[in-house]
Amino acid sequence: MPELPEVETIKRDLEKIIIGKKITEVCVHNPKVIRNVSVDALKKGLTGVTFKNVLRRAKVLILELSNGKSLVIHLKMTGQLVYPGEGKICRVSFHLSDGKILDFNDQRLFAELHLLDDWRDFKFIQSLGPEPFELSVDEFKEMLSRKKAKIKPLLMDQAFISGIGNLYAAEILFRAKIDPERPAQSLSDKEKEALFKEAKDVLNGAIHYGGSSVDDYVRLSGKPGGYAVYHKVYGREGKPCLVCKTPIKRIALGGRGTYFCPKCQK
Ligand SMILES: [Zn+2]
């Protein structure tokens, strides 16, 4: 699933391409991805309207429009935005004033498009906790000190802290040398500080390289992101730890495959 770095990459790609362009036509090939309005209302709300601004909240994209409304896109598991698209295999295609097409693909149909009068009223966005970049180290330490939950599922809890999913939680915990099953409040001050630093460093590194293409994620151009080669534990079960050569283990934790080094991570 695209996490904060992937969605930030798409946001930055979109900013360069769509701002100032008008939607001339909307073709809906599968209405299931449109969540809060009818197909007719979506077409009516978007046709002839210009993209004004692109925002991101955690893993959610917000496209602000010249009519005051916003198109909110949650890519979930397999959602993709591709430009220039072909308007064929996609779920929804947006024909733009430059004569090209912005395709919204979603193989598994879990993704969500919402057309909203004000995205700030969207309950899902209101439910999100702060992103790591919005916190000070002291705030982060205080948040962890009140939690008995295991640290990895807690890092993935979007109401607690938003933007981190399964892949980056594993990478962050490896770099911070913390066992994913540790209760959050058992971490020392030093460990909490390391975790906070690594969370920001890993997310920034992944943004720098355009995200990780391990499943369906692609950049707006349709090309993969470049960060997967820097993964240290994710998807490396049985392979030697890059620090100590102990085989990387995979366990199920909170229902998600969790990769870690049993020697480096305490
Ligand atoms: Zn190791």
Side-chain angles (χ1 to χ4, degrees):
M1 179 191 289
E3 302 181 24
L4 188 156
E6 287 75 36
V7 182
E8 177 66 20
T9 300
I10 295 169
K11 175 199 172 247
R12 293 180 185 186
D13 289 348
L14 278 170
E15 276 174 336
K16 289 180 212 141
I17 299 286
I18 66 165
I19 291 178
K21 288 180 186 166
K22 193 183 274 185
I23 304 170
T24 56
E25 189 185 2
V26 180
C27 298
V28 177
H29 307 286
N30 192 319
K32 204 186 159 200
V33 295
I34 303 163
R35 301 295 171 140
N36 74 322
V37 290
S38 67
V39 170
D40 279 350
L42 183 88
K43 288 184 177 184
K44 217 173 163 188
L46 294 179
T47 306
V49 165
T50 303
F51 289 109
K52 295 285 277 187
N53 201 10
V54 186
L55 306 171
R56 180 189 60 73
R57 288 290 178 275
K59 307 175 192 175
V60 179
L61 280 168
I62 302 157
L63 310 184
E64 290 186 330
L65 306 164
S66 58
N67 61 359
K69 294 177 187 281
S70 290
L71 180 65
V72 172
I73 303 177
H74 197 181
L75 298 167
K76 294 285 184 82
M77 298 291 285
T78 58
Q80 299 174 335
L81 283 165
V82 175
Y83 173 98
E86 295 174 350
K88 286 177 189 160
I89 54 155
C90 57
R91 304 307 190 183
V92 181
S93 53
F94 305 93
H95 294 249
L96 305 183
S97 49
D98 61 2
K100 293 179 180 162
I101 300 173
L102 173 66
D103 272 348
F104 176 73
N105 303 325
D106 182 24
Q107 203 191 340
R108 295 182 65 182
L109 290 169
F110 291 131
E112 298 184 6
L113 298 187
H114 298 261
L115 183 64
L116 301 170
D117 290 332
D118 189 345
W119 60 264
R120 294 165 195 85
D121 295 334
F122 189 33
K123 286 227 159 49
F124 180 77
I125 288 177
Q126 290 175 344
S127 76
L128 293 168
E131 296 182 6
F133 301 119
E134 295 167 340
L135 292 168
S136 70
V137 66
D138 288 335
E139 286 168 330
F140 181 74
K141 283 157 76 174
E142 167 63 21
M143 282 166 67
L144 291 187
S145 69
R146 290 180 270 122
K147 290 287 180 182
K148 290 175 187 156
K150 291 175 180 173
I151 188 65
K152 176 161 175 276
L154 186 66
L155 286 179
M156 294 168 58
D157 177 352
Q158 300 301 297
F160 178 73
I161 192 164
S162 64
I164 300 170
N166 196 39
L167 191 161
Y168 292 108
E171 293 297 317
I172 290 163
L173 286 165
F174 175 79
R175 286 167 168 85
K177 301 186 170 72
I178 295 167
D179 184 319
E181 295 196 87
R182 287 270 301 280
Q185 60 184 195
S186 77
L187 270 58
S188 68
D189 271 359
K190 232 179 152 178
E191 286 172 325
K192 287 176 193 161
E193 285 158 18
L195 187 60
F196 186 65
K197 178 187 178 294
E198 296 300 342
K200 292 197 292 180
D201 284 358
V202 166
L203 295 175
N204 276 326
I207 292 168
H208 180 77
Y209 287 100
S212 301
S213 288
V214 291
D215 297 314
D216 292 79
Y217 163 72
V218 290
R219 299 184 63 153
L220 189 61
S221 61
K223 296 198 174 91
Y227 191 66
V229 295
Y230 299 100
H231 295 174
K232 298 200 187 298
V233 285
Y234 186 82
R236 299 194 64 247
E237 183 184 13
K239 293 185 178 153
C241 171
L242 298 172
V243 173
C244 74
K245 300 201 166 61
T246 302
I248 297 299
K249 263 181 97 165
R250 180 187 186 278
I251 57 167
L253 186 56
R256 303 300 302 273
T258 294
Y259 299 90
F260 68 105
C261 173
K263 192 171 173 197
C264 291
Q265 292 176 252
K266 301 290 182 199

